[in-house]
Amino acid sequence: SKTHHALVDGVAGVDLMTTLFDLDEQGPDLGAPPHWIPQPSPSGAQLAATALQDTVAQAATAPLRAIRTLTNPEDAREAAEAIGEVVRRGMSSAPPTPLNVRIGPHRRLATVESRLDELKVIKSVLGGTVNDVVLAVSAGAVRRWLHGRGLRTEGMDMRVCVPISTRARDDAGALGNRITQVVVPLPVAEADPLERLRLVREAMQDVKDSKLAAGAELIAGVQDFAPPTILAQASRMNFSGRFFNLLVTNVPGPQFGLYVLGRRLRGVFPVAFLAGDRALAIAVMSYDGGVNWGLIADLDAMGDLDAVADGIEQSMQELAGLSVPSAAR
């Protein structure tokens, strides 16, 4: 399936997937479908009235945090500091790397399969989160790819864009786009896999401790209240592609089997998108105990995309080996 990001984000896409598929091999007994009579197409006046109705409803059901931010001076000051953090972090552009070249219209794809329990053991033994492990593995894979091209990585300051869901509990099942993003260093210069994981873990913790995530979330959350010009400029600052070299997105999927017409879905491999002068994007999605990696790259710039896929497998093996107790090695 292919859906534009303006309609659904990764989490909403998973919700949509679980709706389209059955939860067991037999599927539900739906009986005979009801007789369907199409409604007439709405007139321009009806569309305008519906749009006005939706605007009023959005204002009435606005997040309390956004309303409080606009009316409480203390919260307004914190909001300004949070947005200022986004602006300060975004003042410096990402450095040039071999991944950042002018791309064409054609693509290459590659996939890698791993197991969720393996990532959980790594993060439990070595520290961090599953997403930290994903980023550390990605750093190791890109490092191997660069070395395979005969390039040095010492001192390379590569930056990775990490989308973060801003969905609240009551947003479950809602479509639309409820994400923001943060940009953190991707330690491709570090040779030690343990040190790479530590650097990733500290960078992501720094984001959580700073006002960066709060500022990014605020930009995404007050879109129904901020003046359009201010919102547009803030959003461009937060989502601008010139601040990162590589996109790595990790979406949790259903941890149970899905079926359609009695056939079990064997695997789900996500495919992100390329935007700007970036020749590679890495997407990760878990499903029924597996963690599947989908790599999309520019056809001409990444003729060696399989080297990145091989690097993911090798980096996973490195961290998995280090997470085994020394007595069992």
Side-chain angles (χ1 to χ4, degrees):
S1 66
K2 183 178 181 181
T3 309
H4 198 287
H5 224 304
L7 297 177
V8 293
D9 55 27
V11 175
V14 170
D15 290 340
L16 192 60
M17 181 176 69
T18 56
T19 300
L20 293 172
F21 284 80
D22 298 324
L23 301 182
D24 56 64
E25 189 174 354
Q26 302 304 318
D29 184 9
L30 300 177
H35 182 60
W36 179 68
I37 301 176
Q39 298 295 316
S41 298
S43 65
Q46 288 173 319
L47 288 173
T50 301
L52 180 60
Q53 219 172 24
D54 289 344
T55 301
V56 172
Q58 286 176 358
T61 60
L64 292 178
R65 178 181 177 184
I67 296 175
R68 190 168 59 245
T69 297
L70 295 177
T71 57
N72 187 304
E74 179 69 20
D75 291 328
R77 186 176 67 254
E78 291 187 5
E81 292 175 356
I83 293 177
E85 183 76 17
V86 173
V87 174
R88 282 192 296 274
R89 295 280 184 114
M91 290 304 291
S92 59
S93 298
T97 75
L99 289 176
N100 305 116
V101 297
R102 186 172 298 278
I103 62 174
H106 307 298
R107 302 288 177 260
R108 294 183 188 273
L109 297 175
T111 60
V112 179
E113 297 181 60
S114 56
R115 300 296 303 172
L116 182 58
D117 54 4
E118 188 175 30
L119 271 75
K120 286 184 174 180
V121 168
I122 292 172
K123 67 101 174 175
S124 297
V125 174
L126 303 181
T129 66
V130 168
N131 195 58
D132 293 341
V133 177
V134 166
L135 291 174
V137 168
S138 299
V142 173
R143 173 183 169 85
R144 290 176 183 274
W145 171 76
L146 289 166
H147 287 181
R149 287 196 169 194
L151 300 172
R152 301 176 65 88
T153 56
E154 292 85 348
M156 184 174 285
D157 178 28
M158 189 173 287
R159 300 180 198 171
V160 59
C161 169
V162 184
I164 296 177
S165 175
T166 59
R167 289 176 179 268
R169 290 183 180 274
D170 53 3
D171 287 334
L175 298 180
N177 219 314
R178 307 277 205 283
I179 63 167
T180 186
Q181 69 179 27
V182 295
V183 176
V184 296
L186 190 71
V188 297
E190 178 55 54
D192 184 356
L194 280 177
E195 185 66 9
R196 282 199 297 269
L197 179 57
R198 185 190 67 81
L199 291 171
V200 165
R201 184 171 64 245
E202 290 183 353
M204 292 303 294
Q205 187 61 49
D206 178 58
V207 166
K208 296 172 187 175
D209 294 340
S210 71
K211 290 184 169 62
L212 183 63
E217 182 179 353
L218 184 65
I219 290 172
V222 300
Q223 56 185 330
D224 295 327
F225 304 94
T229 303
I230 296 176
L231 172 66
Q233 294 303 322
S235 294
R236 288 192 186 101
M237 177 65 72
N238 187 38
F239 290 98
S240 174
R242 72 183 181 89
F243 302 136
F244 62 91
N245 305 104
L246 171 69
L247 170 73
V248 177
T249 178
N250 176 23
V251 179
Q255 293 308 302
F256 45 82
L258 297 175
Y259 298 82
V260 62
L261 298 178
R263 301 297 190 268
R264 185 177 180 279
L265 178 64
R266 296 178 58 187
V268 181
F269 293 87
V271 179
F273 58 91
L274 301 183
D277 296 334
R278 275 176 299 282
L280 173 67
I282 300 174
V284 183
M285 181 177 287
S286 57
Y287 165 66
D288 196 20
V291 175
N292 294 331
W293 305 62
L295 284 62
I296 183 171
D298 179 72
L299 179 72
D300 299 315
M302 297 285 291
D304 50 357
L305 178 61
D306 286 342
V308 181
D310 292 341
I312 289 174
E313 293 182 337
Q314 293 169 9
S315 295
M316 277 290 300
Q317 290 171 5
E318 280 182 338
L319 288 175
L322 291 169
S323 63
V324 175
S326 58
R329 292 178 190 170

